[in-house]
Amino acid sequence: MTTRADNARLRTLVDDLNRHLRLYHQQDAPEISDAEYDRRFRALEGLERELGVVLADSPTRRVGAPPAEGFAPAEHRVPMLSLDNAMNEAELRAFAERVAKQLDREAAFALLGEPKLDGAGVELLYERGELAVGSTRGDGRVGEDVTANLRQLGSVPLALRGDAGSFAERVSVRGEVVMPLASFARLNKSRAARGLAAFVNPRNAAAGALRQLHEIDLERLRSLEFRAYAIGEGAPAAALRQRDLVAALEAWGFETSPRWRVCEDVDAALAYYGELLAQRAALPMEIDGVVFKVDELALQRDLGELARVPRWAIASKFPAQQETTLVEEIFASVGRTGAITPVARLRPVFVGGVTVSNASLHNQDEIDRKDVRVGDTVVIQRAGDVIPQIVSVVLAERPADALPFKLPRGCPVCGAEVVRAEGDAVTRCPNRACPAQLRNRLLHMAGRGALDIDGLGEKIVAQLIERELVNALPDVFALDEATLAGLPRMGEKSAAKLMAALARAKDTTLPRFLVALGIPEVGVNVADLLASQFGELDALISASAEQLTAIDGVGPVIAERVAHYFADETQRAEVARFRELGVRWPALARREPGAAGEGPLAGKTFVLTGTLPTLSRLDAQSRFEAAGGSVTGQVSKKTSYVVAGEAAGGKLRKAAELGVSVIDEAALLELLSR
Ligand code: IVH
C-alpha cells in the first residue's frame, strides 16, 4: 500500500528529475552537478523499488529527453540505450558477478574497456555508404536531426571507407561528440570577451554547438570531435566480438575511443580503470569514467537489455570533478603584496578527490561577472591538481534576500582605505606595514623556494608580529634565542632549532634571496633568470625598466615591478639590513643574454610540474642549467621536455595537446648523466 505522502514524494522526485533532464538535454544548461543528478536518480530508483510503483513519466523509464522543438525528429530503429553506473570497485565486481550468474558460467569473460567520453551521444546513419542522417540521442528512440551540423565535423566521415561489399546497405554508427579542452578554453575566453556567459563544461558546450539552429557558429562546430564506439544497425556479420566492431569502425574511417583495451577479467578491468584515472588530467578531452562491455557478441545477446540499459555493459564512473554546494560566507583575504582577494567559504564538499571548503573568487570583477552571493548554491569544479573554482551559480536556488557582494572599502586587517588602480582588476591594501601583508611576506620568505626556514610557521609568525618583535622581513635574523624561548608554547628546544634554521638560511643563493624579497611577479623562474643575467644584486638594483625589458623572458610588467621595487628607498634599506645581519650568497657567473649554454642539454628547454620524488625544483633547475639546458614556466611547442612528478596537472595536459615529450625524474636523471 502506498500512502498519499509516498505518492507525493514520488511525484516531487520525478518532477524534479524531469526538470533537470530538460535543462541538461534540451537547454544544455544544467543547474546541478552530474553527481547530484545521479544521487537523486538513485534515490528515485530506491523509492520506486520500495513502493513498487513507477510513475508513467518517471525518468527511470527512459534515457535523455524527447527532441526539442525546431529540429526534425529522427528515429533510431535500434534504440540508443544509456548505461548503468558503477560508483566503486564493489559495484563493478557485483556487475561481473551478475553477468557470470546470468550466463551460468564459472570461467572469466573478457571485457572491452574504453574511456567514457564526456560529450553528447549521436548516431550517424549511412545509406549505401553515404552519410544520410545524423541525430542526437534524444529519448533513445527519437532524437533530433542535426545532420547539417554534424557534416561540419572533420572526424565525421561523409562516406564510409572501403568498397560497397565491405558494409551493409544501412549502417548506423554511434559515438560521442566531444569538445577538446583546448577548444573549450578558447571558446569560453571568446565568450567572456563578448560579455556572454561561460559554458559550465565541455560537454554542454559540445551538445549546445551541435544543436545550433540559427546563425550557426562554424568555428565552434568545427572544434568538435566525433569518436565512434558502437554499431546500431549493419554490424559486419563476421564480427564476433566487440573488439571486431571497433576494428570495423576504424577500417571504415572512424576515430574510436583512444586507448581502448581488452581486459581478460575484472582485476584487469580494475587495473585499466586505475591507469585511465591517473591519466585523466593529461588527456586532451574530458572523460568521466570507463565503459566496460562484454566482449563476446554472442554473450551480449544472451544477456540482453532492460528498458533503459543493456545488461552487458556498465560505466565505471570516476570521482566527480563538479559538485554543488552552498556559499556560507565571502571574506576578503590580504596577500603579501597587499592584493585583496575575495574568498568564498563553502559548505565542505567532496570533489575531485578532496574536500573543498574555500574557493577563491579572484577579484571584484569576477564576482560581478559570476554574480556570486552569500547564500547561493554554486557549482564547484576541481580537476586534477587544479585549485577549486566556482563555475556558476544555481539561480533557481538563490534565497530571496541574497544581496550582491562588494569588497569592503577598508582593508579587513589594518583598516587602511583600499585602492584600485585604473585598469587593474585587483583591489589592494596600500599599507606595507599591514600585519596581514607582513605575515604573508614572512611566510613566503620562509618557504621552500625562498630562504627555506624550517620552523618559521604560521603560529610563530603570528606571535612575532603581535609582539612587534618583527616589523620587517630582516628582523627575523636579529632575533635571539632567549626572546624566542620566552614565547608561549615555544620552549628552549624549539627556540634552539629555529635559531639553527635561521643561521642555515643566511647562507643562500641570489635567486632564493630574490624570491624571498617577495617582489610582485618575481617567482622562482624569474628570480633565476634575473640572477643569471646580472650575476650580482647591486647590478640588478640599479637596472632600469628598459634594461630589464631587454632580457629575453622579462616582459614590461615584470620589468616595471622590479624597477619600481628597487627604486623605493625603504626596500633598498631592507636589502642592506639583510646583508648587515649576515644574509649572503655567492656571486654567480654572469651569462651573456641569449647565449646558449654548453653541455649535454645545450639548447633544450624544460618545464617542471608536480612534485618530483627526490629533487627539489631548485635542485632540478640548477642541474639543467649546469648541463646547458634552461627552464621555463610555460609549456609551448618549443619545450623539449615536460618533467612531471606527483600531482602534475594542467601542464601535463598541455604537453599532451602539443605533443611535447613527458618524462619522469628517473628519465631526467638519465638524460643528465649522459
Ligand atoms: S556504449 C549500449 N561506449 O555514455 C551501450 N557509451 O551514460 C551504449 N558514452 O549514452 C553506450 N563513451 O553517450 C558507450 N565508450 C563509450 C562511451 C559511451 C561515452 C556515453 C554515451 C552513452 C552514455 C551513457
Side-chain angles (χ1 to χ4, degrees):
M1 258 298 281
T2 57
T3 64
R4 195 180 297 177
D6 289 336
N7 275 326
R9 255 200 312 156
L10 207 52
R11 185 76 261 156
T12 313
L13 258 179
V14 167
D15 288 347
D16 171 65
L17 280 161
N18 278 338
R19 178 169 163 268
H20 288 297
L21 265 181
R22 275 194 305 277
L23 285 168
Y24 179 111
H25 285 287
Q26 297 190 349
Q27 291 163 30
D28 305 313
E31 285 182 355
I32 56 176
S33 62
D34 290 10
E36 180 61 26
Y37 181 84
D38 286 348
R39 266 194 300 278
R40 295 188 196 178
F41 191 89
R42 285 185 165 213
L44 174 61
E45 281 181 323
L47 191 61
E48 288 176 344
R49 228 177 298 120
E50 185 190 315
L51 302 177
V53 178
V54 180
L55 296 180
D57 60 343
S58 170
T60 63
R61 289 180 184 254
R62 65 156 157 217
V63 292
E69 250 173 76
F71 292 98
E75 196 188 333
H76 307 298
R77 288 208 199 165
V78 178
M80 285 181 81
L81 299 181
S82 182
L83 289 169
D84 238 350
N85 291 335
M87 304 311 285
N88 50 42
E89 174 174 346
E91 293 187 5
L92 182 61
R93 289 191 185 277
F95 162 77
E97 276 160 29
R98 237 174 14 247
V99 169
K101 193 161 162 221
Q102 204 197 329
L103 294 173
D104 198 14
R105 60 187 258 166
E106 297 273 301
F109 45 88
L111 291 167
L112 182 122
E114 293 173 338
K116 185 174 189 302
L117 301 175
D118 203 5
V122 302
E123 175 172 76
L124 304 172
L125 176 67
Y126 289 84
E127 288 174 350
R128 285 172 298 281
E130 280 179 27
L131 178 61
V133 183
S135 53
T136 63
R137 187 174 68 168
D139 64 6
R141 293 180 189 276
V142 183
E144 296 144 329
D145 186 331
V146 288
T147 315
N149 285 348
L150 277 167
R151 292 178 75 91
Q152 298 294 334
L153 275 61
S155 46
V156 167
L158 298 180
L160 299 180
R161 200 187 290 154
D163 51 46
S166 50
F167 40 76
E169 171 88 9
R170 274 173 70 93
V171 174
S172 64
V173 171
R174 274 104 189 252
E176 203 78 357
V177 166
V178 294
M179 182 175 286
L181 287 157
S183 313
F184 175 68
R186 215 179 318 120
L187 175 65
N188 268 350
K189 217 166 160 187
S190 106
R191 286 180 72 85
R194 285 178 288 154
L196 298 170
F199 285 106
V200 175
N201 55 44
R203 180 194 58 220
N204 296 114
L210 263 192
R211 300 168 77 252
Q212 298 178 86
L213 261 179
H214 311 289
E215 292 171 48
I216 290 166
D217 180 345
L218 279 186
E219 192 190 326
R220 186 171 155 207
L221 259 181
R222 289 180 186 147
S223 70
L224 301 176
E225 304 251 357
F226 176 71
R227 293 288 180 275
Y229 50 65
I231 302 177
E233 294 176 71
L240 299 178
R241 298 168 302 186
Q242 186 72 34
R243 70 185 93 162
D244 303 330
L245 298 182
V246 175
L249 289 168
E250 289 175 354
W252 288 338
F254 291 95
E255 294 196 46
T256 54
S257 305
R259 301 164 205 237
W260 61 272
R261 183 188 299 170
V262 176
C263 307
E264 292 307 329
D265 55 22
V266 199
D267 291 313
L270 281 163
Y272 174 65
Y273 172 93
E275 276 175 42
L276 275 185
L277 181 57
Q279 292 166 1
R280 182 186 202 179
L283 297 176
M285 45 186 71
E286 217 151 67
I287 66 178
D288 61 340
V290 182
V291 180
F292 290 110
K293 301 169 186 174
V294 171
D295 194 33
E296 296 277 346
L297 299 183
L299 296 183
Q300 290 188 3
R301 279 191 288 275
D302 288 349
L303 287 160
E305 270 124 34
L306 298 168
R308 198 180 60 84
V309 295
R311 287 207 192 86
W312 46 265
I314 191 137
S316 274
K317 297 292 284 278
F318 287 158
Q321 293 190 320
Q322 282 196 346
E323 266 296 357
T324 33
T325 191
L326 198 73
V327 176
E328 295 183 326
E329 183 197 346
I330 299 176
F331 61 91
S333 137
V334 186
R336 69 183 156 84
T337 60
I340 297 184
T341 308
V343 181
R345 199 164 54 74
L346 306 167
R347 175 173 296 167
V349 60
F350 190 73
V351 55
V354 297
T355 300
V356 172
S357 48
N358 280 328
S360 170
L361 284 162
H362 308 291
N363 54 52
Q364 185 68 52
D365 288 351
E366 179 82 355
I367 294 186
D368 295 346
R369 204 165 58 73
K370 291 188 175 156
D371 189 17
V372 178
R373 306 181 182 188
V374 175
D376 270 342
T377 297
V378 288
V379 178
I380 298 293
Q381 171 165 300
R382 183 187 178 274
D385 64 348
V386 177
I387 30 183
Q389 56 183 36
I390 293 180
V391 183
S392 60
V393 173
V394 182
L395 286 177
E397 305 206 4
R398 167 170 289 168
D401 58 353
L403 294 175
F405 181 85
K406 291 281 170 234
L407 279 170
R409 303 195 18 192
C411 167
V413 177
C414 72
E417 193 177 330
V418 301
V419 290
R420 182 173 167 186
E422 177 126 8
D424 191 357
V426 183
T427 305
R428 293 173 201 278
C429 162
N431 174 17
R432 258 188 79 85
C434 168
Q437 289 191 43
L438 180 58
R439 166 188 181 273
N440 291 321
R441 280 207 304 277
L442 280 165
L443 290 172
H444 176 78
M445 177 178 82
R448 275 184 60 190
L451 297 187
D452 198 6
I453 310 171
D454 226 12
L456 191 64
E458 294 193 22
K459 287 201 183 111
I460 176 93
V461 163
Q463 292 185 15
L464 294 172
I465 295 175
E466 199 189 323
R467 270 152 232 266
E468 297 189 14
L469 292 168
V470 170
N471 298 306
L473 295 184
D475 292 351
V476 294
F477 292 103
L479 290 166
D480 61 74
E481 196 163 333
T483 312
L484 282 177
L487 292 173
R489 277 169 285 128
M490 194 58 184
E492 277 172 21
K493 241 190 175 156
S494 328
K497 261 193 173 159
L498 182 52
M499 286 305 291
L502 285 166
R504 270 196 310 276
K506 284 183 187 172
D507 265 311
T508 188
T509 65
L510 180 53
R512 279 178 179 278
F513 181 70
L514 290 175
V515 173
L517 290 178
I519 307 166
E521 306 287 335
V522 180
V524 174
N525 291 321
V526 175
D528 194 68
L529 187 62
L530 294 174
S532 67
Q533 294 297 323
F534 289 91
E536 44 121 5
L537 186 59
D538 294 317
L540 174 61
I541 290 180
S542 48
S544 66
E546 292 72 47
Q547 279 172 297
L548 287 161
T549 323
I551 298 168
D552 194 16
V554 175
V557 175
I558 299 176
E560 202 280 325
R561 291 279 153 80
V562 174
H564 182 261
Y565 182 92
F566 289 118
D568 184 334
E569 185 55 45
T570 336
Q571 311 292 8
R572 287 207 305 270
E574 200 167 288
V575 169
R577 182 118 196 282
F578 269 116
R579 283 170 151 164
E580 274 163 36
L581 289 165
V583 177
R584 57 188 178 178
W585 50 86
L588 291 173
R590 183 165 176 266
R591 202 196 295 155
E592 282 309 313
E598 276 173 41
L601 300 184
K604 299 257 187 272
T605 57
F606 293 80
V607 172
L608 285 164
T609 176
T611 313
L612 300 181
T614 66
L615 291 176
S616 75
R617 268 189 108 72
L618 279 171
D619 290 341
Q621 182 158 353
S622 50
R623 293 221 199 173
F624 287 130
E625 287 168 359
S630 60
V631 178
T632 58
Q634 231 83 73
V635 184
S636 77
K637 279 194 204 128
K638 289 188 206 143
T639 307
S640 318
Y641 298 96
V642 168
V643 185
E646 202 175 322
K651 288 180 184 163
L652 254 190
R653 187 182 272 168
K654 186 92 198 199
E657 268 164 35
L658 297 174
V660 171
S661 308
V662 177
I663 59 173
D664 61 5
E665 187 187 277
L668 164 66
L669 293 173
E670 163 75 33
L671 274 179
L672 287 166
S673 68
R674 278 191 199 159

